[in-house]
Amino acid sequence: MGVNNHHETFPWKHIVGFIFSLLLTFAALWVALSSGLSAGAIIGIIVILAVIQASLQLFMFMHMTESDSGKIQTINMAYSFFIAVVVVAGSVWTMSFVL
């Protein structure tokens, strides 16, 4: 009757997410310091690893799939990402002008 399906005795999901986050961080560190790739390739790989890690943390730690309003949370996160991209792109665009 009043059984809570979300109750777990040990936070395995958080441990796995933490380990994957560490692995992705060390992979980015290795690519930046020891890979010997070109600067463009290093930046591209680090951006890909960053997107993977951000999505991993959204689903493992931010409980995106555990809410009844998951669609609303997803829309809010997409909108927040859009605002962040606009702010960063606008800042880079503004700083690109040489006075």
Side-chain angles (χ1 to χ4, degrees), residues 44-61:
I45 292 171
I46 288 177
V47 167
I48 290 169
L49 290 173
V51 168
I52 293 170
Q53 186 165 1
S55 60
L56 173 84
Q57 290 182 4
L58 280 175
F59 289 104
M60 293 295 219
F61 300 119

Side-chain angles (χ1 to χ4, degrees), residues 8-32:
E8 293 183 20
T9 57
F10 191 77
W12 287 109
K13 187 175 179 182
H14 292 98
I15 300 297
V16 170
F18 179 68
I19 291 170
F20 279 137
S21 293
L22 285 176
L23 290 174
L24 288 168
T25 300
F26 288 131
L29 184 66
W30 178 81
V31 166

Side-chain angles (χ1 to χ4, degrees), residues 21-89:
S21 293
L22 285 176
L23 290 174
L24 288 168
T25 300
F26 288 131
L29 184 66
W30 178 81
V31 166
L33 298 179
S34 301
S35 68
L37 298 172
S38 68
I42 290 173
I43 291 172
I45 292 171
I46 288 177
V47 167
I48 290 169
L49 290 173
V51 168
I52 293 170
Q53 186 165 1
S55 60
L56 173 84
Q57 290 182 4
L58 280 175
F59 289 104
M60 293 295 219
F61 300 119
M62 302 293 186
H63 308 288
M64 289 290 292
T65 58
E66 296 177 7
S67 174
D68 294 334
S69 62
K71 289 182 182 179
I72 294 172
Q73 286 181 346
T74 303
I75 291 170
N76 286 338
M77 292 305 297
Y79 180 68
S80 300
F81 179 74
F82 171 74
I83 294 298
V85 167
V86 168
V87 168
V88 170

